[in-house]
Amino acid sequence: MNANGVLTVSFQQEELFGEVVDHWKPVFENAFSKGVTKLVLDMTGVENIGSVFIAMLLVLHKQVKEADSQIRLVGVGERVGRILESVRTRQLFEECDSVDEAIRAFR
């Protein structure tokens, strides 16, 4: 978390399925318990996402919306973008070209 209360997560996997969610879910829960409501999710290099990851995104979206904040996605590739569009969730998230741009957009 940076000084502005923004949590940035850079996913290092090409595919985000259940086991990745199992790893990150407690990280997000801990961050929210400490008052973090601004999230930047760096998806650079992610080629595929599964339904469990999409469900986690929706839960995160609900939590930050209730706190009057947002999630910003960075580096959403063509395939991941199509998946998010196909389940009608892409429009829920602001997309930025870089992590720095995403963090600045919260100010």
Side-chain angles (χ1 to χ4, degrees):
M1 180 172 60
N2 76 6
N4 296 322
V6 179
L7 176 64
T8 301
V9 173
S10 296
F11 296 105
Q12 303 299 312
Q13 301 85 357
E14 289 184 11
E15 297 183 327
L16 301 178
F17 295 113
E19 61 278 356
V20 174
V21 173
D22 291 343
H23 170 79
W24 285 105
K25 190 185 279 186
V27 172
F28 292 124
E29 289 171 356
N30 184 45
F32 284 124
S33 74
K34 293 181 179 176
V36 170
T37 58
K38 301 172 186 174
L39 294 176
V40 175
L41 303 181
D42 186 356
M43 309 282 288
T44 303
V46 174
E47 298 293 330
N48 200 6
I49 58 176
S51 60
V52 176
F53 182 79
I54 294 168
M56 183 185 74
L57 280 180
L58 292 173
V59 168
L60 292 172
H61 175 264
K62 181 180 178 201
Q63 290 175 311
V64 298
K65 186 175 179 183
E66 289 172 356
D68 197 30
S69 193
Q70 289 183 316
I71 298 172
R72 291 191 166 62
L73 303 180
V74 174
V76 174
E78 185 178 331
R79 178 176 168 78
V80 170
R82 282 195 318 264
I83 293 168
L84 292 173
E85 287 171 6
S86 73
V87 294
R88 298 179 180 12
T89 56
R90 190 171 191 172
Q91 71 278 4
L92 298 176
F93 306 100
E94 184 175 332
E95 294 181 33
C96 298
D97 293 329
S98 71
V99 170
D100 289 337
E101 176 188 332
I103 291 171
R104 282 193 307 271
F106 282 118
R107 295 183 188 149

